[in-house]
Amino acid sequence: MTSDSARLGDLPRAAAQRFGSREAVVFGTERVSFQVLALAVDECARGLIGLGVQPGDRVLIFVPNCLRWLLAFYALTAIGAIAVPMNTRFRRDDLAYLMRQSGASTLIISPDVPGVDVTSMVHELLDCAAPDELPRASYPDMRRLISTADASIMAATGWQALIDAGLSVSQQMLDTRRKAVQPSDPALILYTSGTTGAPKGAVHSHAMIRTVTDGANRLGITSRDVLLLFMPLFHSMGLYLAGMMFLASGARLVLSARFDAAAELNRIERERVSVTFGFDTHYFDLLGHPDFALRDHSSLRIAMVPAGSPGAEPIARRVNRELCRSFSGYGSSECGTGISLSFLDASEDERCLGSGYPMPGYEYRICDPQTDAVLPPGVLGELRIRGYGVMLGYYANPDQTRTAFDAEGFFRTGDSAQIDESGFVRYVGRHKDMLKVGGENVDPAEIEAFLSALPGLAAARVVGVPDARLGEVPVLCVEIGAKSPDLDSVRRACAGRIASFKVPRRVVEVERFPMTVTGKLQRTELCRLVIEQLAV
């Protein structure tokens, strides 16, 4: 199976043929081999066919890291459906938007999402108590709910019932569905916040497999490695660099349900982990934990610490001094993760300050975002990318798809970067207004749109301010004299409706919002004023 002809749903079978009874995944007390994993994926795929999931169906996965997340993802892509991973920190309004915008036929949920009763939340949205009550008028495309819990609950088909539904589906039927999938078909939609204030779904084909296999080659990842993933699988970094890479390389995947510094240090020692992936926030917690000096982490050889976010450089240098050699890279929901990576022999400065070199098959250039002119080496501008793994487009959004690409087919990333004469990429920050809160992209316009419905907040604005642990956090800004709710009221209004990382941490009053002569908010200047005021 070459990367040009590979399909995501074939990865488990191919890995089983190559690596057989070797251990593939460790999750809690569960340990499965590549052979067992491939069989379980086929079992799940037959169940999905038995329940009526069709080729091209969008299927939302609202499930935290677990073995069944992997089974569902690879089973969906094996039968020609399109997997739509969801951020498990999303809440009711986020979920409602994605269900409508994606036109999903199926929602896979879990009872184990921290801090929320997912079953109650979903049934409140759908207003149904049994599977035969779907679809509902509010969500006409939604046909079925599936739960990762063993038992069926209300309208959600339990995992055992899913498996039972596949008993009447022959292996031949599954193989026919699998063979009908083309590598160029849509396989994955990654939702990302955009400058319009509404999440957009970046559609990807199976071509991402090449990115993953090339990345394993550059990083020297083989079947001798043990990958620790405490990043969520719904995040492109977690999915590409671990959730796919373990199958492409034969490495063992140690999967965490959620990040916990003490537990990760224990896993590194117990499982002899050799590779980790995370943001500076994760390593801030790992290096600062009281157990750090007590645990054996000598098995680690490389750790991904992406450069460019606030506070990343000092943490990356500490990783090199206190933990292991770091590496960096670049990626996005639209382009995929790991489309540039450090070389293993790169200097510490390169690994801590830049994003490595473009992977084969990708073209990078720096442009003036206003004129589209290509800028010379070393000049800061907007990073633009063209290549096989860039998204096919934004789902059901042709207008935004057109504006996302320039006349030569390069994707406008909205990120500021420099590329030197050797081709080395240095990501500097976001050209757009996007915030990065503990590794999560947050569009301030999205928060503003949500809060505008609250009394006194129609004119409020959101900016990001530096935070030692999370990189930056959202702060709500109001003009002096405006009648607006206090921070506790804002938090109560947000609770359970939008993701916690989107909720403002402070409410700050400014004399007036800085505006351009054309009446546009100068968000950068507003951010400066807020930071100045908070420092007093």
Side-chain angles (χ1 to χ4, degrees):
M1 181 177 68
T2 65
S3 59
D4 291 336
S5 62
R7 298 164 298 190
L8 284 167
D10 294 335
L11 285 179
R13 280 188 174 184
Q17 291 170 359
R18 293 176 63 194
F19 307 112
S21 61
R22 291 177 63 98
E23 199 164 75
V25 182
V26 177
F27 177 72
T29 59
E30 297 178 275
R31 292 178 178 267
V32 298
S33 69
F34 287 98
Q35 287 177 335
V36 170
L37 183 69
L39 290 172
V41 167
D42 280 7
E43 186 178 51
C44 180
R46 287 195 296 272
L48 291 168
I49 293 173
L51 290 180
V53 177
Q54 298 297 314
D57 277 8
R58 278 79 61 204
V59 178
L60 297 170
I61 306 175
F62 191 56
V63 177
N65 285 5
C66 64
L67 184 58
R68 287 177 179 176
W69 196 106
L70 292 169
L71 299 182
F73 177 79
Y74 285 106
L76 289 167
T77 56
I79 64 173
I82 302 172
V84 189
M86 285 186 62
N87 191 324
T88 52
R89 294 173 71 183
F90 280 3
R91 293 300 178 256
R92 188 188 68 190
D93 289 21
D94 307 300
L95 178 58
Y97 173 81
L98 260 64
M99 289 194 331
R100 290 195 183 98
Q101 204 282 330
S102 68
S105 74
T106 307
L107 171 61
I108 303 177
I109 61 174
S110 166
D112 298 323
V113 177
V116 60
D117 184 340
V118 175
T119 303
S120 296
M121 180 175 71
V122 169
H123 288 294
E124 178 186 345
L125 284 172
L126 294 177
D127 187 28
C128 65
D132 59 9
E133 294 180 5
L134 291 172
R136 310 297 285 178
S138 301
Y139 304 93
D141 300 303
M142 184 59 62
R143 304 283 170 174
R144 62 193 67 83
L145 294 176
I146 299 171
S147 173
T148 57
D150 289 329
S152 299
I153 302 174
M154 298 177 70
T157 299
W159 197 262
Q160 187 56 54
L162 165 70
I163 301 305
D164 291 343
L167 296 177
S168 60
V169 177
S170 68
Q171 187 64 39
Q172 181 180 5
M173 186 181 299
L174 172 57
D175 291 343
T176 298
R177 285 281 292 268
R178 180 179 264 118
K179 289 175 183 177
V181 178
Q182 300 300 310
S184 59
D185 288 344
L188 170 69
I189 299 179
L190 293 171
Y191 271 86
T192 178
S193 292
T195 55
T196 61
K200 302 185 293 291
V203 182
H204 291 272
S205 74
H206 300 258
M208 68 191 82
I209 294 173
R210 178 182 169 188
T211 303
V212 173
T213 54
D214 284 354
N217 187 39
R218 179 168 292 189
L219 298 173
I221 293 177
T222 70
S223 59
R224 294 189 296 270
D225 279 300
V226 180
L227 316 181
L228 172 60
L229 181 63
F230 43 71
M231 291 281 293
L233 282 162
F234 63 71
H235 194 288
S236 63
M237 184 196 295
L239 180 57
Y240 276 66
L241 296 183
M244 297 181 200
M245 194 172 282
F246 87 99
L247 288 172
S249 64
R252 181 158 56 101
L253 175 63
V254 178
L255 186 62
S256 302
R258 62 190 65 87
F259 176 75
D260 177 86
E264 309 315 332
L265 291 170
N266 182 54
R267 291 184 183 100
I268 291 169
E269 179 179 87
R270 184 183 70 242
E271 303 295 339
R272 304 300 295 163
V273 169
S274 60
V275 186
T276 63
F277 313 92
F279 288 103
D280 45 294
T281 302
H282 299 113
Y283 296 104
F284 181 91
D285 287 356
L286 286 172
L287 296 173
H289 197 276
D291 290 348
F292 179 75
L294 305 177
R295 292 295 185 183
D296 178 7
H297 38 74
S298 60
S299 58
L300 278 171
R301 64 178 186 88
I302 51 173
M304 185 172 193
V305 190
S309 61
E313 181 194 349
I315 293 297
R317 293 196 184 277
R318 283 190 62 196
V319 168
N320 281 272
R321 292 195 306 268
E322 302 173 37
L323 190 62
C324 65
R325 194 177 187 85
S326 75
F327 71 97
S328 186
Y330 176 83
S332 70
S333 295
E334 291 94 342
C335 298
T337 290
I339 59 171
S340 74
L341 288 170
S342 306
F343 285 98
L344 292 178
D345 62 351
S347 68
E348 183 177 307
D349 279 351
E350 281 197 347
R351 301 195 310 275
C352 296
L353 294 173
S355 302
Y357 290 82
M359 299 300 290
Y362 289 95
E363 300 172 76
Y364 282 45
R365 60 170 49 166
I366 302 297
C367 295
D368 182 314
Q370 304 303 320
T371 67
D372 287 347
V374 179
L375 300 175
V379 176
L380 184 67
E382 183 189 29
L383 177 62
R384 297 188 182 178
I385 298 171
R386 183 169 67 184
Y388 65 87
V390 176
M391 69 171 182
L392 303 175
Y394 290 120
Y395 180 74
N397 206 328
D399 291 341
Q400 288 191 328
T401 297
R402 278 191 295 271
T403 59
F405 294 87
D406 66 20
E408 295 185 56
F410 280 79
F411 175 70
R412 307 172 189 268
T413 66
D415 291 329
S416 295
Q418 296 170 310
I419 301 178
D420 68 18
E421 292 182 349
S422 71
F424 178 72
V425 180
R426 183 174 180 182
Y427 165 77
V428 176
R430 292 166 303 287
H431 173 70
K432 301 175 183 176
D433 293 327
M434 200 78 72
L435 312 182
K436 182 78 81 171
V437 183
E440 299 284 359
N441 286 326
V442 177
D443 184 356
E446 181 186 353
I447 305 174
E448 290 165 359
F450 172 79
L451 293 175
S452 66
L454 302 179
L457 291 182
R461 293 294 177 260
V462 172
V463 298
V465 300
D467 181 83
R469 179 173 178 271
L470 296 175
E472 58 186 336
V473 294
V475 169
L476 182 65
C477 305
V478 296
E479 291 185 326
I480 293 174
K483 294 182 179 180
S484 57
D486 59 21
L487 181 60
D488 287 341
S489 298
V490 171
R491 286 174 170 168
R492 285 195 297 271
C494 295
R497 297 187 63 191
I498 63 173
S500 60
F501 57 82
K502 300 177 185 178
V503 179
R505 303 304 200 274
R506 301 280 293 273
V507 176
V508 173
E509 290 186 333
V510 296
E511 185 174 345
R512 63 180 180 275
F513 294 147
M515 312 295 285
T516 66
V517 293
T518 59
K520 183 179 179 181
L521 176 70
Q522 292 180 304
R523 204 179 292 270
T524 301
E525 176 63 13
L526 177 59
C527 184
R528 186 191 67 78
L529 292 174
V530 169
I531 292 173
E532 193 174 84
Q533 184 170 326
L534 291 175
V536 174

